[in-house]
Amino acid sequence: MECHDLSSFTKIKINLHFGVMEHAFEPLKNDLIIRAAWGQKVERPPIWVMRQAGRYLPEYHQAKGTRDFFECCRDPEVASTLTLQPIERFAGLIDAAIIFSDILVIPQAMGMTVEMVDKKGPHFPNPLKGPDDGQYAEVMNKKVDVAKELDYVYKAITLTRKKLQGRVPLIGFCGAPWTLLCYMVEGGGSKIFKEVKTWIYKYPEETKALLQKISEVCVEYLALQVEAGAQLIQVFDSWAGELSPSSFKKFSQPYLEYIAKHLPPKLKEMGLDSVPMIVFPKGAWYALDAACDMGYNVVGLDWLHSPEQTLKTVGDRPITVQGNADPGVLYGSHASITEVVEEMVKGYDWANRKKGWIVNLGHGITPFVNPEDLRFFFQEVLRLTKTD
């Protein structure tokens, strides 16, 4: 049974230029992922997947039209339409929506130029070169008006909540400070991370100061997303695996902990209830134990983790894990998809535990996946976890 009258989730304050008002959304019909994230026993594991709204869907290209990626993010109507596409295509199979946006809106709000280059990805025409390049001081000294600069994200969230009509909860997100720093100094994706490694080993204190600044922006950004209607939040540390265990403790972990520690009191200060918090330190397999103590409710796993070992590491801590099928299995046969789902269901001991697991991929959906193969993945999760 997934239909609940959750009045506590239906009222939210939204920040408008002329003040604060209370806005009512329709009650949630499916709160499965929220209950699972809080560590409650549930009737089946909730399902969603990273990048579920995106270019693998034919309807994405139709709605996107000739707009570039960031134009779509900045248009609340388009962003909400794209967010809802997987919810509508996979109706009854998917338990959460995640707002269509990008982690790099934070560097944009901090004054940096970011472009999305077709077939290449994000590009910073003028990345941070070093603490003395002038731009570093500008970024550090800028008073970021997070409400104003990222207003389009909050509008998209509120509009999406209205359009969802309570079908499933809506997830908001941000990039982790370390991952955002990587992009800000590398100028885009990288294979060797030369620039950011130069920063951490040559300018460690200046690096930490910038990471702290980013962390503070992240807290405010996430709080305003919740104010706009987000019901869970996720922090994506996509490049965490580029750090050694000791470097992770210096340049990623403290800032992930800062977000988890400061977001709940910030929400309380704004008159808002806390929401479940998810952290996803991709590639940092060595940090799973630490991630369970960072203050988040849910720890996202990439496909490098075995479910059985994960449960041993988590132990009796009240942590829900999220993941972690290899996204590449969606290029394979249906038999392979079934095998991977069976491994997860067994590995997370779902039949006995009935809690502590949100089904996801170990990273986002990759290009050229057939949406019907993703549908089969969802259907197999339901088939193999259903209770008679």
Side-chain angles (χ1 to χ4, degrees):
M1 181 66 179
E2 293 175 7
C3 186
H4 302 266
D5 180 13
L6 297 181
S7 58
S8 62
F9 287 103
T10 64
K11 286 189 176 180
I12 203 87
K13 291 178 181 176
I14 59 175
N15 191 13
L16 302 176
H17 292 301
F18 52 84
V20 176
M21 66 172 286
E22 202 171 75
H23 191 93
F25 297 114
E26 291 190 34
L28 265 177
K29 301 177 181 73
N30 175 355
D31 69 328
L32 189 65
I33 192 170
I34 292 175
R35 288 185 285 129
W38 286 127
Q40 298 174 22
K41 285 203 169 189
V42 288
E43 53 274 26
R44 62 173 179 81
I47 312 168
W48 73 282
V49 293
M50 291 175 277
R51 292 198 193 127
Q52 64 189 26
R55 53 187 171 171
Y56 76 103
L57 293 174
E59 56 267 37
Y60 167 83
H61 298 279
Q62 294 167 7
K64 180 177 180 289
T66 59
R67 303 174 186 87
D68 71 24
F69 179 84
F70 283 116
E71 279 183 275
C72 293
C73 294
R74 293 189 190 105
D75 186 322
E77 183 61 46
V78 175
S80 66
T81 296
L82 296 174
T83 301
L84 289 171
Q85 285 179 342
I87 305 304
E88 289 162 353
R89 176 183 275 262
F90 304 115
L93 295 173
I94 198 165
D95 297 302
I98 182 166
I99 193 65
F100 185 86
S101 186
D102 193 82
I103 63 171
L104 298 180
V105 298
I106 285 181
Q108 288 176 331
M110 296 177 75
M112 298 190 72
T113 299
V114 190
E115 303 165 346
M116 193 64 71
V117 180
D118 193 37
K119 296 184 173 62
K120 181 182 176 183
H123 173 65
F124 288 66
N126 186 26
L128 295 173
K129 300 288 195 303
D132 299 323
D133 76 348
Q135 189 180 195
Y136 175 82
E138 289 176 10
V139 170
M140 289 300 297
N141 293 329
K142 179 175 180 177
K143 185 171 179 6
V144 184
D145 188 339
V146 184
K148 179 183 177 183
E149 296 284 351
L150 298 173
D151 180 60
Y152 58 89
V153 178
Y154 318 130
K155 287 179 177 174
I157 287 172
T158 301
L159 182 58
T160 303
R161 274 292 303 274
K162 290 177 181 177
K163 289 184 179 181
L164 276 168
Q165 298 178 310
R167 281 175 282 178
V168 294
L170 179 61
I171 301 171
F173 69 91
C174 74
W178 162 252
T179 290
L180 296 179
L181 175 76
C182 287
Y183 281 107
M184 291 163 74
V185 303
E186 293 289 344
S190 176
K191 290 184 178 179
I192 62 172
F193 291 86
K194 170 184 174 289
E195 304 303 332
V196 78
K197 293 299 178 77
T198 300
W199 273 77
I200 67 173
Y201 292 120
K202 191 176 280 189
Y203 316 118
E205 295 311 310
E206 292 90 343
T207 298
K208 290 174 181 177
L210 180 52
L211 287 166
Q212 179 60 32
K213 170 99 173 181
I214 297 169
S215 302
E216 292 166 7
V217 173
C218 287
V219 169
E220 188 169 356
Y221 178 47
L222 291 171
L224 290 169
Q225 289 186 59
V226 174
E227 186 178 56
Q231 292 152 292
L232 306 90
I233 63 92
Q234 175 155 322
V235 180
F236 285 86
D237 208 352
S238 306
W239 296 121
E242 297 302 322
L243 289 165
S244 69
S246 61
S247 293
F248 181 87
K249 289 179 182 177
K250 297 175 187 174
F251 299 106
S252 176
Q253 183 173 334
Y255 307 100
L256 293 173
E257 290 174 341
Y258 180 92
I259 294 170
K261 179 180 179 180
H262 288 85
L263 181 58
K266 177 69 173 177
L267 293 175
K268 185 176 181 181
E269 176 189 312
M270 296 166 68
L272 301 167
D273 291 332
S274 291
V275 299
M277 301 182 294
I278 308 166
V279 65
F280 180 49
K282 182 181 178 291
W285 54 268
Y286 50 79
L288 176 58
D289 184 58
C292 292
D293 291 328
M294 286 181 187
Y296 292 85
N297 309 98
V298 182
V299 175
L301 308 170
D302 59 43
W303 65 96
L304 302 179
H305 296 269
S306 85
E308 293 86 353
Q309 186 57 49
T310 293
L311 289 189
K312 289 178 183 177
T313 301
V314 173
D316 60 1
R317 287 176 286 192
I319 294 292
T320 295
V321 296
Q322 176 177 277
N324 66 323
D326 180 352
V329 75
L330 297 177
Y331 295 131
S333 65
H334 281 192
S336 294
I337 292 173
T338 298
E339 182 179 359
V340 166
V341 174
E342 286 174 339
E343 288 172 357
M344 289 195 298
V345 171
K346 180 181 178 183
Y348 290 119
D349 195 20
W350 181 256
N352 294 312
R353 298 179 74 240
K354 301 288 189 192
K355 67 174 184 176
W357 179 36
I358 296 168
V359 181
N360 208 310
L361 301 176
H363 197 215
I365 296 172
T366 43
F368 313 115
V369 163
N370 183 336
E372 291 309 299
D373 291 330
L374 180 60
R375 182 187 301 277
F376 182 76
F377 173 80
F378 292 150
Q379 290 171 334
E380 285 298 87
V381 172
L382 292 179
R383 182 179 70 84
L384 292 165
T385 59
K386 69 180 180 181
T387 303
D388 295 329

